[in-house]
PDB file of all heavy atoms in Angstrom:
ATOM      1  N   GLY A  14      -2.812  34.839   1.282  1.00 98.00           N
ATOM      2  CA  GLY A  14      -4.206  35.141   0.847  1.00 98.00           C
ATOM      3  C   GLY A  14      -4.624  34.189  -0.261  1.00 98.00           C
ATOM      4  O   GLY A  14      -5.807  34.129  -0.661  1.00 98.00           O
ATOM      5  N   GLY A  15      -3.666  33.507  -0.937  1.00 98.00           N
ATOM      6  CA  GLY A  15      -3.966  32.539  -2.011  1.00 98.00           C
ATOM      7  C   GLY A  15      -4.526  31.221  -1.565  1.00 98.00           C
ATOM      8  O   GLY A  15      -4.720  31.050  -0.442  1.00 98.00           O
ATOM      9  N   SER A  16      -4.669  30.362  -2.646  1.00 98.00           N
ATOM     10  CA  SER A  16      -5.268  29.019  -2.343  1.00 98.00           C
ATOM     11  C   SER A  16      -4.361  27.946  -2.971  1.00 98.00           C
ATOM     12  O   SER A  16      -3.642  28.180  -3.964  1.00 98.00           O
ATOM     13  CB  SER A  16      -6.627  28.997  -2.979  1.00 98.00           C
ATOM     14  OG  SER A  16      -7.480  29.884  -2.370  1.00 98.00           O
ATOM     15  N   LEU A  17      -4.390  26.758  -2.383  1.00 98.00           N
ATOM     16  CA  LEU A  17      -3.864  25.534  -2.936  1.00 98.00           C
ATOM     17  C   LEU A  17      -4.742  24.354  -2.649  1.00 98.00           C
ATOM     18  O   LEU A  17      -5.468  24.343  -1.663  1.00 98.00           O
ATOM     19  CB  LEU A  17      -2.446  25.321  -2.385  1.00 98.00           C
ATOM     20  CG  LEU A  17      -1.243  26.068  -2.901  1.00 98.00           C
ATOM     21  CD1 LEU A  17       0.022  25.694  -2.062  1.00 98.00           C
ATOM     22  CD2 LEU A  17      -0.967  25.737  -4.315  1.00 98.00           C
ATOM     23  N   ARG A  18      -4.676  23.368  -3.507  1.00 98.00           N
ATOM     24  CA  ARG A  18      -5.376  22.141  -3.249  1.00 98.00           C
ATOM     25  C   ARG A  18      -4.384  20.922  -3.243  1.00 98.00           C
ATOM     26  O   ARG A  18      -3.724  20.712  -4.249  1.00 98.00           O
ATOM     27  CB  ARG A  18      -6.488  21.958  -4.344  1.00 98.00           C
ATOM     28  CG  ARG A  18      -7.421  20.756  -4.016  1.00 98.00           C
ATOM     29  CD  ARG A  18      -8.351  20.486  -5.215  1.00 98.00           C
ATOM     30  NE  ARG A  18      -9.412  19.684  -4.856  1.00 98.00           N
ATOM     31  CZ  ARG A  18      -9.960  18.770  -5.746  1.00 98.00           C
ATOM     32  NH1 ARG A  18      -9.434  18.657  -6.997  1.00 98.00           N
ATOM     33  NH2 ARG A  18     -11.018  18.090  -5.363  1.00 98.00           N
ATOM     34  N   LEU A  19      -4.392  20.224  -2.197  1.00 98.00           N
ATOM     35  CA  LEU A  19      -3.579  19.047  -2.053  1.00 98.00           C
ATOM     36  C   LEU A  19      -4.442  17.830  -2.315  1.00 98.00           C
ATOM     37  O   LEU A  19      -5.648  17.830  -1.987  1.00 98.00           O
ATOM     38  CB  LEU A  19      -2.951  18.920  -0.618  1.00 98.00           C
ATOM     39  CG  LEU A  19      -2.119  20.154  -0.156  1.00 98.00           C
ATOM     40  CD1 LEU A  19      -1.576  19.837   1.274  1.00 98.00           C
ATOM     41  CD2 LEU A  19      -1.065  20.496  -1.116  1.00 98.00           C
ATOM     42  N   ALA A  20      -3.831  16.768  -2.891  1.00 98.00           N
ATOM     43  CA  ALA A  20      -4.475  15.496  -3.101  1.00 98.00           C
ATOM     44  C   ALA A  20      -3.549  14.392  -2.645  1.00 98.00           C
ATOM     45  O   ALA A  20      -2.346  14.467  -2.688  1.00 98.00           O
ATOM     46  CB  ALA A  20      -4.869  15.320  -4.500  1.00 98.00           C
ATOM     47  N   CYS A  21      -4.163  13.305  -2.208  1.00 98.00           N
ATOM     48  CA  CYS A  21      -3.374  12.157  -1.800  1.00 98.00           C
ATOM     49  C   CYS A  21      -4.139  10.910  -2.145  1.00 98.00           C
ATOM     50  O   CYS A  21      -5.315  10.729  -1.630  1.00 98.00           O
ATOM     51  CB  CYS A  21      -3.099  12.152  -0.242  1.00 98.00           C
ATOM     52  SG  CYS A  21      -2.304  10.789   0.359  1.00 98.00           S
ATOM     53  N   SER A  22      -3.569  10.031  -2.981  1.00 98.00           N
ATOM     54  CA  SER A  22      -4.252   8.897  -3.379  1.00 98.00           C
ATOM     55  C   SER A  22      -3.590   7.575  -2.851  1.00 98.00           C
ATOM     56  O   SER A  22      -2.378   7.503  -2.837  1.00 98.00           O
ATOM     57  CB  SER A  22      -4.178   8.767  -4.873  1.00 98.00           C
ATOM     58  OG  SER A  22      -4.945   9.829  -5.472  1.00 98.00           O
ATOM     59  N   ALA A  23      -4.363   6.660  -2.389  1.00 98.00           N
ATOM     60  CA  ALA A  23      -3.897   5.425  -1.841  1.00 98.00           C
ATOM     61  C   ALA A  23      -3.958   4.378  -2.961  1.00 98.00           C
ATOM     62  O   ALA A  23      -4.959   4.309  -3.682  1.00 98.00           O
ATOM     63  CB  ALA A  23      -4.689   4.998  -0.646  1.00 98.00           C
ATOM     64  N   SER A  24      -2.944   3.477  -3.067  1.00 97.00           N
ATOM     65  CA  SER A  24      -2.946   2.461  -4.029  1.00 97.00           C
ATOM     66  C   SER A  24      -2.453   1.189  -3.388  1.00 97.00           C
ATOM     67  O   SER A  24      -1.705   1.214  -2.398  1.00 97.00           O
ATOM     68  CB  SER A  24      -2.093   2.840  -5.254  1.00 97.00           C
ATOM     69  OG  SER A  24      -0.774   3.101  -4.818  1.00 97.00           O
ATOM     70  N   GLY A  25      -2.781   0.071  -4.032  1.00 96.00           N
ATOM     71  CA  GLY A  25      -2.289  -1.232  -3.480  1.00 96.00           C
ATOM     72  C   GLY A  25      -3.423  -2.127  -3.260  1.00 96.00           C
ATOM     73  O   GLY A  25      -4.534  -1.929  -3.609  1.00 96.00           O
ATOM     74  N   ARG A  26      -3.173  -3.152  -2.479  1.00 94.00           N
ATOM     75  CA  ARG A  26      -4.278  -4.196  -2.137  1.00 94.00           C
ATOM     76  C   ARG A  26      -5.083  -3.696  -0.959  1.00 94.00           C
ATOM     77  O   ARG A  26      -4.838  -4.130   0.185  1.00 94.00           O
ATOM     78  CB  ARG A  26      -3.626  -5.550  -1.831  1.00 94.00           C
ATOM     79  CG  ARG A  26      -2.794  -6.117  -2.979  1.00 94.00           C
ATOM     80  CD  ARG A  26      -2.360  -7.424  -2.669  1.00 94.00           C
ATOM     81  NE  ARG A  26      -3.388  -8.424  -2.487  1.00 94.00           N
ATOM     82  CZ  ARG A  26      -3.227  -9.734  -2.061  1.00 94.00           C
ATOM     83  NH1 ARG A  26      -2.039 -10.185  -1.924  1.00 94.00           N
ATOM     84  NH2 ARG A  26      -4.279 -10.501  -1.942  1.00 94.00           N
ATOM     85  N   ILE A  27      -5.951  -2.745  -1.236  1.00 96.00           N
ATOM     86  CA  ILE A  27      -6.707  -2.159  -0.181  1.00 96.00           C
ATOM     87  C   ILE A  27      -8.138  -2.778  -0.055  1.00 96.00           C
ATOM     88  O   ILE A  27      -8.801  -2.893  -1.068  1.00 96.00           O
ATOM     89  CB  ILE A  27      -6.974  -0.663  -0.598  1.00 96.00           C
ATOM     90  CG1 ILE A  27      -5.561   0.026  -0.579  1.00 96.00           C
ATOM     91  CG2 ILE A  27      -7.895   0.034   0.450  1.00 96.00           C
ATOM     92  CD1 ILE A  27      -5.637   1.496  -1.187  1.00 96.00           C
ATOM     93  N   SER A  28      -8.443  -3.206   1.189  1.00 96.00           N
ATOM     94  CA  SER A  28      -9.827  -3.682   1.408  1.00 96.00           C
ATOM     95  C   SER A  28     -10.756  -2.563   1.739  1.00 96.00           C
ATOM     96  O   SER A  28     -11.812  -2.541   1.264  1.00 96.00           O
ATOM     97  CB  SER A  28      -9.739  -4.694   2.618  1.00 96.00           C
ATOM     98  OG  SER A  28      -8.968  -5.867   2.212  1.00 96.00           O
ATOM     99  N   SER A  29     -10.282  -1.676   2.639  1.00 96.00           N
ATOM    100  CA  SER A  29     -11.063  -0.475   2.941  1.00 96.00           C
ATOM    101  C   SER A  29     -10.180   0.509   3.676  1.00 96.00           C
ATOM    102  O   SER A  29      -9.066   0.218   4.099  1.00 96.00           O
ATOM    103  CB  SER A  29     -12.234  -0.888   3.981  1.00 96.00           C
ATOM    104  OG  SER A  29     -11.721  -1.349   5.206  1.00 96.00           O
ATOM    105  N   ILE A  30     -10.595   1.800   3.568  1.00 97.00           N
ATOM    106  CA  ILE A  30      -9.955   2.845   4.297  1.00 97.00           C
ATOM    107  C   ILE A  30     -10.807   3.502   5.295  1.00 97.00           C
ATOM    108  O   ILE A  30     -11.937   3.948   4.964  1.00 97.00           O
ATOM    109  CB  ILE A  30      -9.485   3.964   3.180  1.00 97.00           C
ATOM    110  CG1 ILE A  30      -8.649   3.235   2.124  1.00 97.00           C
ATOM    111  CG2 ILE A  30      -8.693   5.019   3.864  1.00 97.00           C
ATOM    112  CD1 ILE A  30      -8.192   4.219   1.085  1.00 97.00           C
TER     113      ILE A  30
END
Side-chain angles (χ1 to χ4, degrees):
S16 299
L17 278 176
R18 188 190 195 211
L19 306 182
C21 177
S22 296
S24 61
R26 298 184 64 184
I27 297 169
S28 297
S29 64
I30 303 178

